[in-house]
């Protein structure tokens, strides 16, 4: 499930796991709020488990509307019988986010719902752990042919391959301002699909686009995924469900 690139092979001989690029299909989000659902579609299609009608039924059953949290995506994976592991720094809603502009609009209505999902996770066989994940952990996961959905601050994440702003940005008006380096947190889900140790980068699908694979330096990716507001959320998904 791993593919090598000729440009990489032209350099020093690659050791196993030095370069990973998984064939995860790119699916664009439909609006400014549904990046997490688009990422879930990508993952399920990669696993050969995406049925559009069934996916819509799952959204209705789980009552997933315009406010999507990482715990929602974990429940969605469970709904499709996909083995997963949701790692986060906060088991519930961080009350400190109430005054953050990104969270303010939905905070009061979502706090109880999201906290209940965390409380019921074990009973519902949704695997949630409070733990810190290293870049080495992420690379080891990808090297096994597995993918991950990561919550990042889109105002920090910078694709070295993209020259134009994406069409959509989560919970913000569409337009060039969405992915600029803003001091305000802007949560966005992406799908990690690989990395290059030699180039010091990660490869990912950004649901804001429909036609490309993105790449960011490891240091930039780490900054974006550990920004205040993300809780360092990462949903590991396994292909051997």
């Amino acid at each position: 499930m791993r593919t090598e690139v000729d440009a990489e092979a032209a350099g020093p001989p690659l050791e196993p796991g030095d370069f990973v690029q998984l064939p995860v299909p790119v699916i664009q989000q439909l609006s400014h709020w549904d990046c997490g659902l688009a990422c879930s579609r990508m993952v399920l299609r990669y696993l050969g488990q995406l049925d559009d009608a069934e996916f819509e039924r799952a959204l209705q059953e789980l009552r997933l509307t315009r406010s999507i949290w990482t715990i929602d995506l974990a429940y969605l994976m469970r709904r499709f019988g996909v083995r997963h592991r949701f790692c986060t720094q906060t088991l519930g809603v961080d009350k400190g986010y109430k005054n953050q502009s990104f969270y303010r609009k939905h905070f009061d209505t979502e706090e109880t719902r999201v906290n209940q999902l965390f409380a019921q996770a074990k009973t519902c066989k949704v695997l949630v752990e409070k733990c810190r994940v290293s870049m080495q952990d992420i690379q080891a996961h990808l090297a096994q042919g597995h993918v991950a959905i990561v919550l990042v601050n889109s105002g920090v994440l910078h694709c070295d391959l993209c020259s134009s702003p994406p069409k959509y940005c989560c919970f913000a008006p569409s337009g060039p301002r969405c992915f600029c380096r803003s001091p305000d947190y802007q949560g966005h889900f992406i799908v990690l699909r690989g990395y290059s140790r030699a180039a010091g980068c990660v490869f990912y699908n950004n649901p804001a686009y429909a036609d490309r694979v993105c790449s960011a330096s490891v240091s930039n990716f780490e900054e974006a995924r550990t920004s205040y507001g993300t809780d360092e959320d990462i949903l590991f998904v396994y292909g051997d469900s």
Side-chain angles (χ1 to χ4, degrees):
M1 300 182 75
R2 206 162 55 230
T3 59
E4 309 295 343
V5 170
D6 291 341
E8 293 284 336
L14 292 173
E15 295 295 329
D18 278 350
F19 182 87
V20 175
Q21 179 69 277
L22 302 173
V24 182
V26 180
I27 298 177
Q28 190 173 34
Q29 62 194 94
L30 301 176
S31 188
H32 62 276
W33 60 270
D34 64 340
C35 60
L37 301 185
C39 288
S40 298
R41 287 180 184 272
M42 294 186 220
V43 168
L44 291 172
R45 182 166 292 174
Y46 171 68
L47 298 177
Q49 297 192 40
L50 180 60
D51 178 281
D52 289 332
E54 186 63 24
F55 191 83
E56 292 301 321
R57 282 193 292 271
L59 298 187
Q60 293 178 9
E61 290 175 13
L62 297 172
R63 299 179 182 179
L64 301 184
T65 54
R66 287 179 171 267
S67 182
I68 306 296
W69 296 62
T70 317
I71 187 69
D72 290 315
L73 305 185
Y75 271 80
L76 190 55
M77 291 299 114
R78 172 58 188 162
R79 169 65 173 71
F80 279 88
V82 173
R83 190 161 72 92
H84 61 279
R85 177 180 171 229
F86 171 26
C87 298
T88 181
Q89 286 297 293
T90 307
L91 296 176
V93 176
D94 186 334
K95 289 185 177 295
Y97 295 160
K98 186 170 185 176
N99 295 320
Q100 288 278 316
S101 59
F102 178 80
Y103 288 102
R104 190 179 301 130
K105 181 178 179 181
H106 299 281
F107 191 91
D108 291 335
T109 56
E110 288 290 274
E111 182 180 15
T112 299
R113 182 187 75 84
V114 172
N115 283 337
Q116 286 178 342
L117 289 177
F118 274 94
Q120 298 166 359
K122 185 175 182 179
T123 300
C124 296
K125 298 183 179 180
V126 174
L127 181 57
V128 181
E129 296 180 24
K130 182 178 181 181
C131 60
R132 178 161 276 112
V133 176
S134 69
M135 194 62 219
Q136 289 72 29
D137 295 330
I138 294 172
Q139 289 176 335
H141 180 76
L142 293 167
Q144 295 299 312
H146 307 310
V147 294
I149 299 176
V150 185
L151 179 61
V152 298
N153 182 350
S154 66
V156 171
L157 188 66
H158 173 72
C159 175
D160 296 325
L161 305 178
C162 294
S163 59
S164 60
K167 183 177 180 182
Y168 294 114
C169 182
C170 298
F171 295 97
S174 61
R177 292 181 301 165
C178 290
F179 273 60
C180 65
R181 285 183 169 270
S182 166
D184 295 328
Y185 168 75
Q186 290 295 329
H188 188 60
F189 289 106
I190 61 172
V191 178
L192 273 190
R193 59 180 290 167
Y195 61 88
S196 169
R197 293 191 195 277
C201 70
V202 296
F203 303 114
Y204 62 94
N205 287 359
N206 184 342
Y209 295 111
D211 59 353
R212 70 195 69 182
V213 176
C214 290
S215 173
S217 69
V218 168
S219 60
N220 177 249
F221 169 68
E222 288 285 78
E223 181 186 3
R225 79 175 184 91
T226 60
S227 292
Y228 181 73
T230 66
D231 286 325
E232 299 186 28
D233 284 3
I234 180 167
L235 179 59
F236 290 110
V237 180
Y238 300 85
D240 52 356
S241 302

